[in-house]
Amino acid sequence: MDMPEQVAKLCQGLPPEKQEEVLDFVEFLVSRQAHTTWTVEKRQEAVARTMGCLSHTRTSSEAFAQRKQDEKSREERWWKP
């Protein structure tokens, strides 16, 4: 008896709601397998594309530093005669 036959035979002994759970799980496994597997190269390409799209944006620390610098400049102009 091959694997699919074994699974089918075991499922036949389960109540209908458990058979539905088995079907849902098998469909989940099939859907996961259908997705493209990520290689190191594909991950690096995705990261490079993402970083390229965000290169003009500032990180929160860079934005904070710029706001702080602007604040200091305004204060210096206010206090200088």
Side-chain angles (χ1 to χ4, degrees):
M1 186 179 311
D2 65 355
M3 186 68 64
E5 291 172 340
Q6 287 178 313
V7 171
K9 184 176 179 180
L10 287 170
C11 285
Q12 288 174 353
L14 294 172
E17 64 274 2
K18 294 297 181 185
Q19 290 178 4
E20 288 179 30
E21 285 184 42
V22 171
L23 177 61
D24 286 344
F25 182 66
V26 171
E27 288 173 340
F28 166 73
L29 291 175
V30 169
S31 73
R32 273 187 33 199
Q33 191 173 25
H35 288 82
T36 305
T37 55
W38 286 89
T39 63
V40 172
E41 291 79 18
K42 286 183 182 179
R43 288 176 194 260
Q44 289 173 338
E45 289 172 12
V47 168
R49 280 193 311 272
T50 303
M51 293 190 68
C53 293
L54 300 174
S55 62
H56 66 283
T57 62
R58 295 183 183 158
T59 65
S60 60
S61 61
E62 289 172 331
F64 174 80
Q66 183 62 50
R67 284 193 310 268
K68 192 63 178 173
Q69 185 61 41
D70 293 344
E71 180 183 324
K72 288 170 71 176
S73 297
R74 282 192 306 273
E75 287 179 2
E76 287 174 358
R77 285 192 306 269
W78 192 72
W79 287 103
K80 287 185 178 180

